Amino acid sequence: MAVVETRKLTKVFKQGELGAVNEVDLETREGEFLVFLGPSGSGKTTLLRMIAGLESPTAGEILIGGKVVNDLTPRERRIAMVFQSYALYPHLTVYKNIAFPLKAQNVPKHLHKEKVEWASSLLGIGALLQRKPRELSGGERQRVALARAIVREPSVFLLDEPLSNLDAKLRLSAREELERFHRRVGTTTIYVTHDQVEAMAMGDRVMVLNKGVVRQLGTPKDVYDDPADTFVATFLGSPPMNLIENGDLIIGFRPEHFRLAVDMKETDKVLFKFRVDNVEYLGAEFILAGVLVGGKADGKKVIARLLLGHSFEVGVTYDFAVPARELKFFDRTTEKKVPARAISWQ
Ligand code: ADP
Ligand code: MG
C-alpha cells in the first residue's frame, strides 16, 4: 500500500487562473526517497503543503496508508515537515527543542528522554543537547530541526528545500548526511528542490513538475536518459541538452555525447562540423560553445562537453560526431518524446 497517494490533486488559488497544482496523481513507495523537482513557482511547495494538511485542495484526494485524509488535521496525518526556513526556539536548549512536539502532543514526560536520545543519536548531535541554538553551526541547527521532525516517528517525512540556506560546502555534507539518515531510518521521504543535481543525487525517484503539472516521474536515470518532453530534457543536465529543430521534429543530444569524429568508435553516428566560439576550461573538462556549420542544422548554437586530451581554439571548425543512439526525438508541436526515426541532416 502506498504511504502517500494523491488522486487528481489540484489547487487553484484564484478562480479563473491557472492552477498552482493540476490533477497530480502520485503513489509513493514504502521507504523511498522521492524528489519533487521543478523551477520556482512550479507548485512544489503547494503540493507538499496539501499532503501535510497545511493547504486545502481545490479538488482531488490525498491518501495516507490507503485512507483518505483530506479532512484530517496535520497532526492526525502523522507527517513531519521540515521547511526551508526551519525555526528553532532560541531560548530553549537543543533537548527542549527536540522534545517540543512530544510536549505539544501530550506524550508522557517519562518517555521524552528516551525519544530525544534516539533522535539525537541518529543525527549525531547527542553531545549538543544542553546547548542553545545560537551556540550551534548552521549544519548542527539543521540536524536539530530534523531530530525535532523525527522524534514523533512520523510515517512520512516532507522536506521543503531544507538545504537551501546552507553554503555550497555545507550543502554537500548536509546532503550526504540526509542520505545516510534516510538509509538508517528508512522512513518514506518526499524532498522538494529546484536543484537538479541534488534531485539526481538523492532521489530514488524524481517527479519533475512545471506549472503545477507532472511532466515525468521516474528514476534519475529515466528522467536524464529518457526525458518525456523538451522541458525535462533541458531542465536536467548542465549545460542542458542541445535541441535542434528539424522539420516536424526537435532532435536532442546532450553536450557530453559529442566527440571528435576521429575519436568516435561507434559506426552509427551523426557527423557535425562545429565552429568553436568560446572555450571554458573547467579542470577536468572543456565546455565548448559554438555553432554547427553546413547541412540542415547550419548556424544552430550548441554546447559540447569534452574531456581533456585535445586543445580547442576559438574560431576553428572541428569535425565532431554524436552516436546515433544518443539522439532524442520530440514532436515539434507537442514537444513530447516520439520514437526514434531516420533523419537527414544534409
Ligand atoms: P514552488 O514551491 O515550486 O516554488 P509554489 O507552490 O510556492 O511553487 O507556488 C506555485 C504557484 O502558486 C506560484 O505561482 C505561486 O505564486 C502561487 N501561490 C503559492 N502560494 C500562494 C498563495 N497562498 N496565494 C496565491 N498564490 C499562491
Ligand atoms: Mg517552494
Side-chain angles (χ1 to χ4, degrees):
M1 185 190 304
V3 181
V4 176
E5 194 178 338
T6 67
R7 294 182 185 156
K8 301 247 176 286
L9 193 60
T10 299
K11 179 72 187 185
V12 181
F13 282 108
K14 265 196 220 118
Q15 245 195 333
E17 282 188 9
L18 218 63
V21 172
N22 298 296
E23 303 201 341
V24 169
D25 286 321
L26 168 70
E27 271 187 39
T28 61
R29 297 176 184 157
E30 178 75 48
E32 85 170 322
F33 198 105
L34 175 67
V35 177
F36 292 171
L37 172 68
S40 174
S42 56
K44 307 180 295 295
T45 296
T46 305
L47 183 52
L48 211 61
R49 285 172 56 83
M50 285 195 284
I51 294 170
L54 302 169
E55 193 81 70
S56 57
T58 310
E61 286 181 329
I62 303 154
L63 294 87
I64 294 175
K67 278 203 308 227
V68 176
V69 297
N70 286 46
D71 296 329
L72 297 189
T73 64
R75 190 173 291 173
E76 289 165 339
R77 296 185 190 195
R78 283 194 60 227
I79 277 179
M81 185 151 170
V82 177
F83 299 95
Q84 187 169 343
S85 49
Y86 46 85
L88 301 177
Y89 301 103
H91 58 289
L92 297 182
T93 60
V94 167
Y95 181 98
K96 287 190 170 161
N97 264 286
I98 299 174
F100 198 87
L102 301 174
K103 208 171 145 193
Q105 276 188 21
N106 300 320
V107 173
K109 192 143 192 187
H110 69 275
L111 296 175
H112 290 197
K113 187 160 179 285
E114 189 188 324
K115 285 181 182 290
V116 171
E117 279 170 1
W118 166 77
S120 57
S121 71
L122 260 178
L123 285 144
I125 49 172
L128 307 177
L129 292 176
Q130 294 319 313
R131 294 210 198 158
K132 296 274 176 67
R134 66 168 183 279
E135 298 165 315
L136 304 175
S137 71
E140 287 166 345
R141 270 184 225 144
Q142 205 230 350
R143 279 187 257 168
V144 175
L146 282 170
R148 186 175 60 182
I150 64 161
V151 74
R152 292 178 297 149
E153 300 178 53
S155 57
V156 188
F157 247 136
L158 305 180
L159 305 173
D160 191 357
E161 312 226 13
L163 308 185
S164 58
N165 291 334
L166 306 177
D167 65 44
K169 201 170 155 201
L170 202 53
R171 232 181 131 99
L172 191 63
S173 63
R175 181 173 104 192
E176 288 167 3
E177 221 161 71
L178 258 179
E179 290 169 313
R180 224 171 297 138
F181 167 70
H182 176 255
R183 278 198 296 273
R184 247 177 297 159
V185 293
T187 305
T188 306
T189 301
I190 303 179
Y191 184 95
V192 163
T193 183
H194 64 274
D195 179 336
Q196 47 108 7
V197 175
E198 216 168 85
M200 295 284 292
M202 300 178 87
D204 292 318
R205 289 191 302 161
V206 178
M207 186 171 96
V208 186
L209 280 162
N210 188 35
K211 297 180 182 161
V213 175
V214 177
R215 295 302 193 100
Q216 192 167 3
L217 172 58
T219 64
K221 193 169 160 40
D222 290 338
V223 292
Y224 190 84
D225 286 348
D226 193 18
D229 59 26
T230 55
F231 175 80
V232 178
T234 49
F235 195 71
L236 287 134
S238 176
M241 185 182 281
N242 296 300
L243 296 179
I244 292 181
E245 291 169 356
N246 189 330
D248 58 348
L249 293 173
I250 298 171
I251 316 293
F253 45 90
R254 294 217 174 264
E256 63 267 30
H257 291 134
F258 273 112
R259 296 276 177 286
L260 278 169
V262 291
D263 290 348
M264 173 115 9
K265 294 183 185 67
E266 284 85 351
T267 47
D268 195 6
K269 59 192 166 194
V270 180
L271 297 170
F272 294 107
K273 290 205 178 295
F274 183 114
R275 191 191 73 225
V276 173
D277 288 338
N278 191 49
V279 179
E280 286 179 358
Y281 168 71
L282 296 183
E285 63 188 13
F286 287 113
I287 306 289
L288 308 178
V291 293
L292 301 179
V293 178
K296 281 186 188 158
D298 187 51
K300 298 284 188 207
K301 287 190 178 181
V302 288
I303 306 276
R305 224 171 106 183
L306 285 106
L307 297 178
L308 304 184
H310 287 278
S311 56
F312 295 97
E313 280 175 53
V314 170
V316 176
T317 299
Y318 297 88
D319 285 315
F320 275 9
V322 172
R325 68 182 144 76
E326 301 295 356
L327 299 184
K328 313 290 172 198
F329 296 76
F330 305 97
D331 182 282
R332 194 157 164 183
T333 311
T334 64
E335 302 192 340
K336 291 195 188 308
K337 179 178 94 167
V338 293
R341 61 174 106 143
I343 45 159
S344 147
W345 293 91
Q346 298 317 312

